[in-house]
């Protein structure tokens, strides 16, 4: 059984020959290969942009979740002040879930960061090779006989084909990782949306409703007390006026 | 001999370095066959470290083909299988 190195070499060689076989006439291999190199450069640039977009989405979610934490703390405090330990517990449980998600997001953002770096390094190498290939292409065309040129073309095309296969693999892996994150990102979106306790009146969950009632109740109590105070003060004022 | 670390670039390797790599390569293949991912990661990582430390990096604009290609050190078992399958892990370019 062949080792991993020779099997990988074979995969890369097969990929290159499949690519070059498409150019039937050896004289157009150079131009065809160059065209494909430029396409691959575009692909890797797009790949970098996709990773950056995915990263931004996760960063936005991180911000949202971080904003949730003090709100949940506040809800827990209010619920406890109202003697509703069960609601306080529910708010704190939601906070713990949000904190777990935040940790996961940090790791994913770091993962995407490293994918981005890898792709950018790939782009830099491929870009340098494409430029070298472009000038060599002209030299080969101008200076060599048909037979010699064919050998030279084969060498240069193989050398750069390898870099293209390498870049293609990096793009594919980055894409796979980004896709895996989409599902998770959607789940976090849901959590952020359903977990928000900010809107007392929407009544999306029983926790929301109960907290809203408590809040409304305490507001009524406060206002009632205020009114009573005003009335008492008003009455006292009136008495003062009458006695004067 | 020229060695490519897939995703990192090419290095010129001595015969001695190549011999060491071949030894590790057998371990890597055995780990992949046994479905032992931590061991696969460990051996691939060791191969990468060795090439980085003892190989001589080729310039980016060098167009030489490699004699040996080492897969990414963080390749999962699943990806390894796909890399060697008919489906392949390296996407085809549009014609």
């Amino acid at each position: 059984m062949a080792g991993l190195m020779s099997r990988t070499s074979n995969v890369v060689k097969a990929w290159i020959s499949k690519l070059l076989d498409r150019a039937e006439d050896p004289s157009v291999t150079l131009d065809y290969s160059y065209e494909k190199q430029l396409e691959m450069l575009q692909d890797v640039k797009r790949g970098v942009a996709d990773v950056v977009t995915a990263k931004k989405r996760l960063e936005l979610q991180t911000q949202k979740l971080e904003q949730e934490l003090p709100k949940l703390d506040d809800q827990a405090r209010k619920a406890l002040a109202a003697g509703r330990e069960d609601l306080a517990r529910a708010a704190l449980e939601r906070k713990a879930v949000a904190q777990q998600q935040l940790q996961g997001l940090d790791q994913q953002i770091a993962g995407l960061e490293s994918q981005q770096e890898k792709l950018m390094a790939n782009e830099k190498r491929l870009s340098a090779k494409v430029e070298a290939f472009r000038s060599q292409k002209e030299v080969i065309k101008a200076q060599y006989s048909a037979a010699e040129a064919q050998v030279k073309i084969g060498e240069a095309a193989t050398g750069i084909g390898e870099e293209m296969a390498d870049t293609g693999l990096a793009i594919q892996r980055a894409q796979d990782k980004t896709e895996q994150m989409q599902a998770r990102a959607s789940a976090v979106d849901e959590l952020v949306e359903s977990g928000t306790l900010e809107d007392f009146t929407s009544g999306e969950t029983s926790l929301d409703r109960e907290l809203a009632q408590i809040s409304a109740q305490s507001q009524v109590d406060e206002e009632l007390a205020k009114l009573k105070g005003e009335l008492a003060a008003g009455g006292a004022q009136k008495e003062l006026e009458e006695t004067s | 001999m020229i060695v490519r670390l897939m995703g990192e670039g090419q290095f010129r390797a001595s015969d001695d370095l190549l011999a060491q790599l071949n030894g590790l390569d057998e371990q890597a293949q055995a780990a992949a066959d046994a479905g032992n991912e931590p061991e696969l990661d460990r051996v691939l990582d060791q191969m990468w470290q060795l090439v980085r430390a003892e190989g001589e990096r080729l310039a980016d604009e060098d167009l030489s083909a490699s004699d040996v290609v080492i897969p990414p050190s963080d390749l999962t078992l699943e990806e390894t299988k796909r890399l060697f399958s008919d489906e392949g892990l390296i996407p085809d370019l549009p014609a």
Side-chain angles (χ1 to χ4, degrees), chain B residues 36-82:
Chain B
N36 186 344
E37 189 152 339
E39 174 69 0
L40 176 66
D41 285 348
R42 191 188 65 77
V43 180
L44 280 177
D45 200 47
Q46 208 180 333
M47 291 166 85
W48 273 56
Q49 302 290 357
L50 203 59
V51 173
R52 280 185 187 138
E54 294 182 25
E56 180 201 334
R57 192 176 249 291
L58 251 60
D60 282 352
E61 56 272 19
D62 198 311
L63 291 176
S64 310
S66 307
D67 301 286
V68 166
V69 181
I70 306 181
S73 57
D74 59 350
L75 204 70
T76 64
L77 267 181
E78 179 56 37
E79 286 175 319
T80 312
K81 275 186 208 139
R82 258 177 78 194

Side-chain angles (χ1 to χ4, degrees), chain A residues 192-242:
Chain A
V192 170
E193 278 157 26
S194 72
T196 183
L197 299 174
E198 166 191 33
D199 184 4
F200 286 163
T201 55
S202 73
E204 271 176 43
T205 65
S206 60
L207 178 59
D208 287 335
R209 275 195 297 274
E210 289 206 54
L211 276 170
Q213 275 169 12
I214 288 172
S215 173
Q217 191 61 49
S218 70
Q219 195 189 333
V220 168
D221 289 347
E222 265 172 43
E223 287 192 27
L224 212 57
K226 202 172 138 200
L227 281 175
K228 279 179 186 167
E230 278 172 18
L231 265 181
Q237 185 69 30
K238 214 176 175 184
E239 266 172 43
L240 274 174
E241 279 166 15
E242 277 171 4

